[in-house]
Each structure stands twice: as C-alpha cells, then as structure tokens.
Amino acid sequence: MGRWSARLWVALLICSGVILLDGLDVSMIAVAIPEIQHEFGMSAGTAQWLAGAYILAFGSFLLLGGRFADLFGRRRVLVVAMGVFAVVSVVGAFADDAVLVIVSRFVKGMAAAFTAPAAMSLLTTTFPEGPQRNKAFGIFNVFEASGYSSGLLVGGLLAAINWRATFLLPVPIAVLLLVAALRCLPPDPPRTERVRLDLGGAATLVTGMLLLVVTVSSAEHVGWASGRTLGGFIGAAILLVGFVLIERSVQQPLIRLGLFRDRGLVAANASAALLYGGAMGFQFLLALYLQNLHGWQPWQMALVLLPAGLMVVVIGPQLGTLMNRYGVNRVLLVGLTAFIPCYLLMLRIGDKPDLWTVLLPASVLWGLGFALSISALMVAGTSGVADEEQGLAAGLLNSSLQVGGATGLAIVTATIVPATNLSDFPPGVMVILGFAVLTLLAQLIRQKGVRNVGGGA
C-alpha cells in the first residue's frame, strides 16, 4: 500500500477532527443539561430540547448537507459550516435566555449536518477505494468514538465548574480545523457547468425529514397510535413522495434516484439504522439503570463505557489491515455478531450493579461491535459510488444512523415505561436484542444474494 504522504495524513486528521468535534459536542451537552435546566428554571419537557434540537436539525439537514458538498465544493462547505458552528457556540455560551440556548443548539445541529458529510466525502475522495480507504476509515472512527466517550468525562468536569464552558470548548477546536482546512486542503475544482439548485426538492426533503424526525422523537411521549404521531408519519410520507416526484421531473435533481438501485448502499443504510437503533437503546437502558435506579453520576457511567471506547481506539487503526486480509463482509459480520452476547448480558442486570461479570464485559463487546461494524458499513455504503455523489452517500449513511437511533430510542422508551423498577427493563433489552438479530440477518441475506449473483449459484 506504501507510505502516506504528509498531505494525506493532514487531510485525514482534518476530517477526523471534524467528526471528533461533533461527538464531543453531543456528549458534553448530555451531562450539562441538569445545570442548564437549573439556571434557567426549565421544565423537563423544555430541557430535553437542549439535546433534541441538535439531533432534530442534524438528522433533517444531513442529506442536503451532503448534496451541497457535492455541488458547491467539499472544502468550501466544510469551512463555511465550521465557521457557523464556532460563532453559534459563542452565542450559546453567553446566552441569557433559555430559548436562545435551544436555538443555538438547533443551528449547531444544522452546521454539523453540513460538516459531517463534507468531511466524510473529503475522506472518500482523497483515499482511493480499497486498502487505503479501509485504513483511513478505521482511523476516522477512532476519532469519532474518542470524541463521544471523552465528551462524557470532559462535559461532566466542565459542567461542575460552569455549563457555559461546555459551549466554549468546541470554539478553539472549530477555529483550528477551519484554518487547517483553508491552509492544507486543496481548493475545490472549478465546476464546468452552472449549478442550478433544486429548490423544490430541497424544501420538500428538509421539511419531510424534519417532520419525520420530530414525529419519531415525540412518539414516546404522545403515543405511537396517537393522532399526532400518525398524522406526522402521513405528512412526512406525503412530503417525501412529493420530493421523489420532483426529483423525477427536474433537469438537475438534488438527488439522483438511480443511486438507490445500488443494493450494497441500501443494505448498508438499513443495517446502519438498525445497528444504531439498538446501540442508542442500550445506552439509554444503561443510563436509566445506573443513574435513575442506583444514583450513579454521569461520569461514573462514562467509566463503565470506557472499555468500549478503548476497544475502538485499539482496533480502529488495525481495521484497514483486517478488512484487507479477511474482507469487509467478514469483518462486518463479526462486529454485528458481538452485539448479541452484549445485549444478552443485559438480561442479567440485578438489584446491584455487577461490574465484573455483566457491565464491563458488555461494554467490551459493545466496543468490539462498534469498532468492527461502523467502519465496515461506511466502506460498504460508499464503495462503487461516483466521486460526484460521495457527499450524498455520506449524508445518507449519517441520516440512517440518526433516524435509526431516534426510532430505536423511542421504541425502547415506549417499551420500558415507567422504568422505575428493575422488572421494567427486560422488555427493553429484548427490543435491542431484536435490533441486533435483524441487523445480522439483513447482512447475511445480502451477502448470500451477492454470492449467488456473483457465482451464478
């Protein structure tokens, strides 16, 4: 494979730094919410929007952000969105009104929805498909996991001093990445034809995704069979069908619908949604069990999940070698299989937390599953996609993760309500176990189909 040049390493570090910042920001706010709620006298329903506004905007604008990167230049989109991210972080840090804090979180989510697919598509277009891209994705995901896991610890420490510090910490990181991108990444190539933005497609896509994410996120509170939930799903479906009709009729569609004929890409996105649905449910169950039932602090829970982060850090740099030697499909199947014994261990949680035979082994298995699966899914979901659509492919994968995570979390929450006794938890564990089994089965069926087509059997 040869040694990478300094230019390639710098490009990888910039892309990885962007995804680290996203993970850091999301996890820090999670542990700072009680302090913000106390200062502004927020109700619990209002406080949940400190995290929910970011997730809502991020999940809704990802596809648009990915396509913008393809159309207007990946470096250009990354730099502008990172600048917005830094400015809004400062606004949120000095806000003296609860609504302004929540609005700042929404705008940060929008900015991240443009930086994440821009960074990921920069990676896929910089490193050619095969061993180099496999290795790059392994390192990329080390940064992603490190950002999220370290954010829980850093956020807990900063929130104990002042919650505003959790808004300020990302600012110098964002500015550093912005300057590095301007100085070190090559300029975007000039376009040979004029870009005509599909405004109708953009409007129906963003509105439909917003409505879909809001509906999924609120279903646990208002009920899955409520008129509001059903109306939300119907409205989102109408908007997204309208989007498809627009894309079929315009000369320069926002998204080329033929991309969805790629079975590998569709399977990777379905698997990503199922995997993240189970993973978010697992983390939510663990938080309720340790913090609500046993009074643990967030930083103590972060220590329980530390082995998971260490697994990603240790395995991530070796993933390129593993995927080159054993194949992406085999690595993916091993990773997906690891989630099943992890979730089975959660059926053994008892009146007292069992660190050594339940929680820490589950954390190790969870980390192993993530370390192997996420990188392999990213490779599978971007392989064979043309360079001019890599941003869109990246946006699709990230959208699948977000919508899948929100859906899984909503289903688990609805299953375990009110989650005040240990007996409430087993049904939720069975839900995330079902997600893990379905993810594995989907990949087994896809890989069997690929072998049959390829071998004529």
Side-chain angles (χ1 to χ4, degrees):
M1 183 170 64
R3 290 181 176 272
W4 285 348
S5 66
R7 181 188 68 83
L8 288 178
W9 276 110
V10 169
L12 176 58
L13 289 175
I14 291 171
C15 295
S16 300
V18 170
I19 209 69
L20 180 145
L21 180 60
D22 288 344
L24 188 71
D25 191 74
V26 168
S27 56
M28 283 198 304
I29 194 68
V31 293
I33 286 176
E35 298 299 323
I36 303 173
Q37 181 181 3
H38 176 73
E39 177 165 332
F40 291 106
M42 295 180 181
S43 66
T46 302
Q48 63 97 16
W49 281 107
L50 291 166
Y54 184 102
I55 295 170
L56 172 63
F58 188 65
S60 302
F61 284 87
L62 270 167
L63 285 175
L64 189 63
R67 195 58 182 141
F68 262 54
D70 291 333
L71 293 175
F72 300 107
R74 298 177 179 94
R75 190 185 79 154
R76 185 177 296 112
V77 168
L78 178 63
V79 167
V80 172
M82 192 60 70
V84 173
F85 190 96
V87 170
V88 176
S89 294
V90 174
V91 172
F94 293 100
D96 57 2
D97 179 77
V99 173
L100 185 56
V101 176
I102 292 173
V103 169
S104 75
R105 293 294 300 167
F106 184 87
V107 179
K108 284 180 79 171
M110 284 180 59
F114 285 79
T115 61
M120 187 171 161
S121 58
L122 272 167
L123 185 150
T124 56
T125 53
T126 300
F127 295 90
E129 191 172 316
Q132 290 199 47
R133 187 180 296 179
N134 295 346
K135 178 182 177 181
F137 265 128
I139 296 171
F140 182 80
N141 284 306
V142 168
F143 278 77
E144 182 176 20
S146 299
Y148 189 83
S149 57
S150 63
L152 294 172
L153 291 170
V154 174
L157 295 173
L158 292 178
I161 301 170
N162 192 310
W163 66 265
R164 297 179 188 275
T166 62
F167 278 70
L168 287 173
L169 180 64
V171 176
I173 302 174
V175 172
L176 177 63
L177 290 169
L178 187 157
V179 172
L182 284 173
R183 290 179 62 88
C184 303
L185 295 179
D188 297 308
R191 296 192 65 88
T192 56
E193 58 183 34
R194 182 183 176 186
V195 176
R196 294 182 180 179
L197 185 60
D198 174 16
L199 294 177
T204 50
L205 173 64
V206 171
T207 308
M209 290 298 294
L210 273 169
L211 186 55
L212 176 62
V213 176
V214 167
T215 302
V216 170
S217 301
S218 62
E220 61 192 82
H221 304 293
V222 301
W224 285 89
S226 68
R228 175 178 164 183
T229 299
L230 296 176
F233 281 127
I234 292 171
I238 291 172
L239 286 166
L240 293 176
V241 168
F243 166 73
V244 171
L245 294 175
I246 290 173
E247 298 308 279
R248 293 179 63 180
S249 62
V250 297
Q251 187 176 3
Q252 293 186 9
L254 187 68
I255 295 176
R256 183 177 63 85
L257 298 178
L259 186 67
F260 295 97
R261 297 193 188 100
D262 185 331
R263 291 186 1 176
L265 181 142
V266 172
N269 279 272
S271 296
L274 288 165
L275 184 153
Y276 215 59
M280 290 294 288
F282 167 79
Q283 191 172 343
F284 181 62
L285 288 171
L286 191 63
L288 289 181
Y289 175 67
L290 293 178
Q291 296 180 45
N292 287 19
L293 288 190
H294 297 289
W296 286 31
Q297 296 298 313
W299 65 267
Q300 292 175 297
M301 177 181 155
L303 289 177
V304 170
L305 291 176
L306 182 60
L310 291 176
M311 290 295 292
V312 178
V313 170
V314 171
I315 295 174
Q318 311 303 320
L319 267 176
T321 302
L322 290 174
M323 286 190 281
N324 297 337
R325 182 173 181 179
Y326 299 106
V328 174
N329 288 338
R330 287 193 181 93
V331 171
L332 179 56
L333 288 179
V334 172
L336 295 179
T337 301
F339 287 106
I340 294 176
C342 168
Y343 298 155
L344 284 172
L345 279 172
M346 288 295 289
L347 290 172
R348 295 180 54 202
I349 57 174
D351 293 328
K352 293 183 179 180
D354 185 340
L355 273 176
W356 300 110
T357 64
V358 175
L359 298 178
L360 291 181
S363 179
V364 169
L365 288 166
W366 199 58
L368 176 65
F370 255 102
L372 298 176
S373 302
I374 293 296
S375 291
L377 281 173
M378 287 184 175
V379 170
T382 56
S383 296
V385 178
D387 280 359
E388 60 268 20
E389 293 181 321
Q390 283 290 335
L392 175 59
L396 278 170
L397 277 169
N398 281 285
S399 293
S400 297
L401 289 170
Q402 295 303 314
V403 173
T407 303
L409 185 58
I411 293 173
V412 169
T413 302
T415 305
I416 66 172
V417 169
T420 53
N421 298 296
L422 186 62
S423 59
D424 297 327
F425 284 79
V429 176
M430 294 304 296
V431 169
I432 63 174
L433 183 60
F435 271 96
V437 172
L438 285 174
T439 311
L440 181 60
L441 287 176
Q443 282 302 313
L444 287 170
I445 293 170
R446 182 191 73 83
Q447 292 184 24
K448 182 179 179 182
V450 169
R451 286 195 298 271
N452 287 343
V453 171

